[in-house]
Amino acid sequence: MEEREQVLRAAINRRAETVRALLDGDDVDVDQASVRLGYRLSQQHLAFVLWTDEPTGEPADAEATGLLDRVAARLAAAFGSARVLTVPSGASAMWAWAGSDDVERAAELAAPGQVEQLAGAQVEAPVRVAFGVPAGGIAGFRRSHREAVAARQVAERAPAAGRRVTGYRAVEIAYLAGADEAAMRGLVARELGALAGRDANAARLRETLYAYLRGHRSPEATARALGVHKNTVRYRVQRIEQLLGYPIEERGLPLEIALVCVDVYGADALP
């Protein structure tokens, strides 16, 4: 058993070294690396990062790795992939890639919300997962992983009761805007003004404005999204413009960026 464990650990270490060399952009023979990994690097890749809510020490390392391995396999199957590469990252985290030769399927998974919808049923407490965007070849292997790591950073900064599954496409703007926390709060304070309050009324108006902007400025679509009457939406939009001091159309994009930050990071984004 000790010899078997040594062999397995050595194989895992070689796999981890190869993956890190690939991610660092080292001069690696792609075909040889594919053989060492048992995973073809010339295909389409969907990278994801798995971790647990419950911090574990080294005694729980094997248990956490086994759990994350099982979840990674289920996720790959849900995406229609029979090929998954996993590399432990710390005591309770894992990097993973699901591979496929189906370019059209990869394009479908790249659509906003698609990965989260498919993965939701496969991820339960204490596991959390963050996804990159599918991409092809060695460049896609690296890029999708960078995006998955970025999505995890956003997920961990979000409120404690955050989502178990986070896709990079859903939080890309928040990630870019939140790279500098002080600058992000400045943006939120300037753009939202009186709407940046922490009271229930300000929160309700922010919710209405966010739905209104995402609903292409349609009172009817906003009313359906919020479950209120369209006249209620019109009244709130008028009130929002009074508080802002200018028509929403004048600052639609920065307003939406500020609202995305509040939606993702919660009260931490408020001044």
Side-chain angles (χ1 to χ4, degrees):
M1 289 295 291
E2 289 177 358
E3 290 177 359
R4 178 176 179 275
E5 186 173 334
Q6 288 176 0
V7 170
L8 289 174
R9 189 171 296 278
I12 291 172
N13 289 339
R14 284 195 300 272
R15 186 168 59 188
E17 289 172 3
T18 301
V19 166
R20 290 185 184 278
L22 290 165
L23 294 176
D24 290 342
D26 293 352
D27 186 12
V28 177
D29 185 292
V30 174
D31 292 333
Q32 289 183 3
S34 296
V35 172
R36 285 199 298 271
L37 295 173
Y39 177 88
R40 191 157 45 81
L41 294 165
S42 60
Q43 62 190 327
Q44 297 290 315
H45 311 283
L46 171 59
F48 48 108
V49 178
L50 308 94
W51 72 102
T52 67
D53 285 331
E54 303 166 355
T56 58
E58 288 304 317
D61 186 21
E63 182 179 346
T65 299
L67 171 62
L68 298 178
D69 253 329
R70 292 191 295 274
V71 174
R74 289 204 305 268
L75 287 168
F79 301 140
S81 172
R83 310 163 193 156
V84 61
L85 169 65
T86 60
V87 177
S89 174
S92 58
M94 177 172 287
W95 296 345
W97 290 260
S100 172
D101 290 316
D102 191 337
V103 177
E104 291 184 1
R105 179 57 173 163
E108 291 174 1
L109 293 173
Q114 185 65 24
V115 164
E116 295 93 321
Q117 181 179 347
L118 290 172
Q122 310 300 326
V123 181
E124 299 177 352
V127 178
R128 300 180 70 184
V129 187
F131 291 91
V133 180
I138 185 62
F141 181 87
R142 296 186 184 114
R143 188 177 72 212
S144 189
H145 175 72
R146 286 196 300 269
E147 292 166 347
V149 171
R152 177 184 178 177
Q153 292 174 6
V154 174
E156 292 189 317
R157 285 175 56 187
R163 308 174 184 90
R164 296 232 151 255
V165 178
T166 302
Y168 181 72
R169 290 291 300 274
V171 299
E172 183 173 16
I173 293 174
Y175 170 71
L176 297 172
D180 184 326
E181 286 191 45
M184 177 186 68
R185 291 195 184 95
L187 168 74
V188 170
R190 282 192 305 273
E191 296 302 330
L192 298 185
L195 300 181
R198 295 173 181 264
D199 56 285
N201 183 58
R204 182 166 55 250
L205 293 178
R206 284 196 302 269
E207 180 187 31
T208 300
L209 178 56
Y210 192 30
Y212 183 72
L213 291 171
R214 297 183 72 184
H216 307 289
R217 284 70 165 173
S218 167
E220 292 78 11
T222 305
R224 287 194 297 272
L226 298 177
V228 299
H229 195 277
K230 62 183 179 182
N231 289 339
T232 300
V233 173
R234 290 193 177 100
Y235 167 77
R236 290 182 186 175
V237 168
Q238 290 176 356
R239 180 59 180 155
I240 287 167
E241 291 185 333
Q242 289 173 356
L243 292 171
L244 292 175
Y246 55 82
I248 291 170
E249 294 300 328
E250 284 188 11
R251 303 285 296 172
L253 179 58
L255 279 171
E256 188 164 2
I257 292 173
L259 290 165
V260 165
C261 292
V262 176
D263 180 62
V264 172
Y265 296 123
D268 285 347
L270 296 174

